[in-house]
Amino acid sequence: MNLIEGVNRKLDALAAQSLIRRLRVADSPCAPRQVVDGRAMLAFCSNDYLGLAAHPAVVDALQEGAQRYGAGSGASHLVSGHSRAHALLEERFGAWMAPAIPQARALYMCTGYMANLAVLTALGADADAMIFSEALNHASLIDGARLAKAGVSVYPHGDVQALAQQLGASSAGTKIVVTDSVFSMDGNLAPLPELLALCERMGAWLVVDDAHGFGVLGDSGRGALEHFGLRSPNLVYIGTLGKAAGVGGAFIAAHASVVELLVQRARPYIYTTAAPPALAHALQASLDIIEGDEGKQRRTHLAALVSHLRDALRPKRWQLLASSTAIQPLIIGSNDDALRVAAALYEQGLWVPAIRPPTVAAGTARLRVTLSAAHTHEDVAVLARALNELERATT
Ligand SMILES: *Cc1c(COP(=O)(O)O)cnc(C)c1O
C-alpha cells in the first residue's frame, strides 16, 4: 500500500462517521454580516463577542503599530524580539490583574494554545507533580497536561466534591488544578469560588483559562476573576486575545515569581518568534474600549441579545443548554442530524457551526450559536424563527 492510500483510508473512515470538517473561506472581515465563499451570510460562529475584530479604532491602531514597529518581531523574546509594544502591553495586563493576583505580572504569548502549554509544562515540570484537569477542558489544556512531566487526573465536570477527594488522596509534591472558566462548547461557568477555596485549603495552584470570559465577564471586562471577585496568590490566569479582544495572542498573569519561572523555563514562550509588535499595539486600543463606556455598553447589549435568544427559542426535542454567556449551544444528538440542521440553516443564509466529536461527547453533536455585541435584535429574531421552524419541520 502506498503512503497516500493509507492516508486516504483514514479520511474515508472519518467520512463514514460524518466527521469530515470543511473549510469555508471568509471574503470579508469577521462580523455578523460576512461574505463566505462569495455568498452573503448572517453568521453566529465567531468568538468576537464584543465586535472588536473589525472595529475601526483597533484597525487604526494596528496600522499605527505597523508604522511604528514594523511587520515582524524578528526573533524570540529572549533573543531580540521583545519590543516596547510587548513590554507596555504586559505592564498594562499586570496592572489589570493586580486586584486578583498579589504582585501580579503578565506575559504576552503568541496564542492561547501556547499559553496553556507554557503554564502546564512549567508548573507541572516535575514527575512528582499532579495536574487535576476538569473533564470538559479545552484541547489546549489537555495537550499541555499531556506534555507536562506531571501525572494527570481528570475530575468530573463541575464536581468540586470529587476534586476534593482526588486532591485529598494525592501525595503529589505540586498540585495543579486546571479549568476553563467558561466552557467553550457548553457556555456554562466553572464554580471558581469553590475551586479556589479548595485549592487554598489544599495548597494547590488554580489555573484558570478565561478564553471566553476575558473582555465579557466582570464589570470592567477583566474576566472571570473580576466577575467572582476572587483574589489569591494561588491563581494562574490565562486570558486569550483573539476572542472578545478581537486581535490575537494571549496573556498569562500570575505572581511575579511564577511569571519569571515561565520566562526562564516555558518552551512555548522561549522557542518561538515573538508575535508582531503591531498586534500588541492594536490590543491597547481593544483594552481602551473594553474598560471604557463603550465596552460596558457592548456587554450590556450582548447580555440583552442572550436573553432575547433564550426567550425566543422553544426547543422540544433539541436541548438548549443552561448558559448565561454568549455561547448558546443547542444539542441535536447525532452527527448526521446536526450536520443536516446546520446545512438547512446555511441554505437560508444563516451560518451556525455544527460541533461534533471529538470536540464534544459522542451523541451530543450540537449547533454552537455564539452571539456578538455586533449582532442586532433583528438578527437574533431571524435566527430564532429559523431554528424553531426547522425543529418543527424535522419532527
Ligand atoms: C480558543 C481557546 C483557546 C486557545 O486560544 P487561541 O488564542 O485561539 O490559541 C484556549 N482555551 C480555550 C478555552 C479556548 O476556547
Side-chain angles (χ1 to χ4, degrees), residues 67-148:
Q67 288 297 338
R68 198 178 294 182
Y69 298 104
S73 68
S76 63
H77 285 277
L78 287 172
V79 173
S80 66
H82 191 61
S83 135
R84 178 63 60 193
H86 298 127
L88 290 171
L89 185 68
E90 290 178 344
E91 269 173 39
R92 190 165 180 189
F93 280 130
W96 268 39
M97 300 311 292
I101 302 174
Q103 295 185 56
R105 178 181 163 192
L107 204 60
Y108 179 55
M109 303 284 300
C110 290
T111 70
Y113 188 101
M114 294 169 74
N116 286 343
L117 296 190
V119 166
L120 293 180
T121 55
L123 283 183
D126 302 318
D128 80 333
M130 189 63 130
I131 295 171
F132 299 86
S133 182
E134 147 80 50
L136 293 193
N137 272 346
H138 188 261
S140 56
L141 293 172
I142 296 170
D143 291 358
R146 283 181 184 157
L147 209 52

Side-chain angles (χ1 to χ4, degrees), residues 46-52 184 211-214 216 243-244 298 302 326-327 368 370-374:
S46 84
N47 304 306
D48 181 24
Y49 301 124
L50 295 179
L52 299 187
S184 52
H212 302 279
F214 181 77
V216 278
K243 291 170 179 160
R298 283 173 182 257
L302 179 60
I327 302 168
R368 178 178 182 265
T370 52
L371 296 174
S372 160

Side-chain angles (χ1 to χ4, degrees), residues 15 41 63 68 97 112 171 194 208 259 264 332 343 367 377 386 395:
M41 299 293 292
Q63 287 173 333
R68 198 178 294 182
M97 300 311 292
S171 58
E194 293 79 7
V208 177
V259 171
Q264 302 307 322
I332 307 288
L367 297 179
H377 280 283
T395 302

Side-chain angles (χ1 to χ4, degrees), residues 141-313:
L141 293 172
I142 296 170
D143 291 358
R146 283 181 184 157
L147 209 52
K149 299 254 179 4
V152 182
S153 174
V154 175
Y155 67 92
H157 178 54
D159 194 339
V160 182
Q161 294 294 315
L163 173 62
Q165 280 171 7
Q166 289 187 9
L167 283 167
S170 163
S171 58
T174 305
K175 298 177 184 178
I176 305 154
V177 174
V178 58
T179 184
D180 283 16
S181 58
V182 177
F183 293 94
S184 52
M185 296 301 139
D186 291 56
N188 58 329
L189 270 70
L192 292 179
E194 293 79 7
L195 290 173
L196 182 58
L198 176 63
C199 286
E200 289 196 319
R201 207 164 64 238
M202 297 286 189
W205 295 105
L206 179 59
V207 176
V208 177
D209 174 352
D210 202 22
H212 302 279
F214 181 77
V216 278
L217 292 180
D219 235 21
S220 55
R222 293 176 192 208
L225 304 183
E226 183 188 30
H227 173 81
F228 285 114
L230 301 179
R231 175 177 174 83
S232 171
N234 296 41
L235 286 165
V236 177
Y237 177 90
I238 298 110
T240 72
L241 303 169
K243 291 170 179 160
V247 181
F251 72 99
I252 299 164
H255 186 285
S257 298
V258 176
V259 171
E260 184 59 24
L261 181 71
L262 294 175
V263 170
Q264 302 307 322
R265 302 300 300 275
R267 296 163 69 89
Y269 180 73
I270 299 169
Y271 296 104
T272 195
T273 300
L279 297 184
H281 190 73
L283 280 161
Q284 297 278 2
S286 294
L287 298 188
D288 290 344
I289 295 169
I290 288 171
E291 73 175 349
D293 287 344
E294 187 179 345
K296 200 157 277 182
Q297 285 156 15
R298 283 173 182 257
R299 285 188 290 277
T300 303
H301 177 58
L302 179 60
L305 295 175
V306 169
S307 301
H308 180 166
L309 181 69
R310 295 190 66 84
D311 289 345
L313 283 182

